[in-house]
Amino acid sequence: MRATATWSGTISFGIVAIPVQLYAATEEHTVRLHEIHTADGSRVQHRRFCTAEGREISYSEVGRGVALPDGRMLPLSEDDLARLPLPTKCTITVVGFIDPKGVIPISYDRPYYVAPAAPLAERPYALLVEVLSRTGLVAMAKVAIRSRERKAVLRPYRGLLLLQTLRWSDEIRDPGDLAHLVPAVPLSDRERRLAEVLVQEMIGVDDSVDHDGYAHALEQLVDAVASGDEPAEPPPQPEPAVDLMTALQQSVDEARAARHPTKRPSKADRQGK
């Protein structure tokens, strides 16, 4: 299926302008759960209801508005919104270039593929991909998507530009008192060394297990319930380790056996040395 652009505009940095389009870079694959009436299993509908007229209205009668301080609702038409005095409404404005380590992971939001939208955009687009690849930097930008202005980063990805929106700093919750739930615990050198051995044995991830286990389990549950079978019991939850060193050593042995089936743990490894 041909990809559909979700946004059209221009990347602007310095006096360079690159016409581009954005395409959704991710999609969800899951079993959708619907709201039902538990008494009879029928679907629950959410209808558009006008409180002033006391009747259901069609989608064509629905507009948008904003609540004023005095309680009145101010309607805003599509023409009003089209005149929004916001430079980033149609422009990805690059404000600078930074080391990607300067972006905290918790701020990352939604990713979009960026593609040139006209032949004249191809050369500056390719140049931006190249310079970001060579320098290892990302472009910090601002853009308005879906009626909201966002910070964003532009980075090279598989020969393309990838734009990833960022959350504003006031949208990120402070951990507050949660920090007090992690007390300062003295750790022994043996615990540190054995934990490092475990990390080394677990370096690398098998991409074949890269799937949504919840969606698969939900499909199995639906099949069982629909056929009248007894659903499978969920796997037991892992118990906290009573003896941390024993748990670490067993984890190292299991990880090593999985990666090196014929290799036996050395005495130094067993002692965390």
Side-chain angles (χ1 to χ4, degrees), residues 6 23-29 109-113 146 162 164:
T6 60
Y23 298 82
T26 58
E27 60 184 358
E28 293 186 357
H29 299 283
D109 195 14
R110 190 179 296 273
Y112 296 88
Y113 292 127
R146 302 185 187 278
L162 181 72
Q164 193 149 16

Side-chain angles (χ1 to χ4, degrees), residues 78-101:
E78 292 300 323
D79 289 339
D80 292 329
L81 294 172
R83 294 194 298 269
L84 192 70
L86 185 64
T88 55
K89 186 176 63 172
C90 295
T91 305
I92 300 170
T93 305
V94 174
V95 297
F97 297 87
I98 65 170
D99 188 316
K101 294 179 181 178

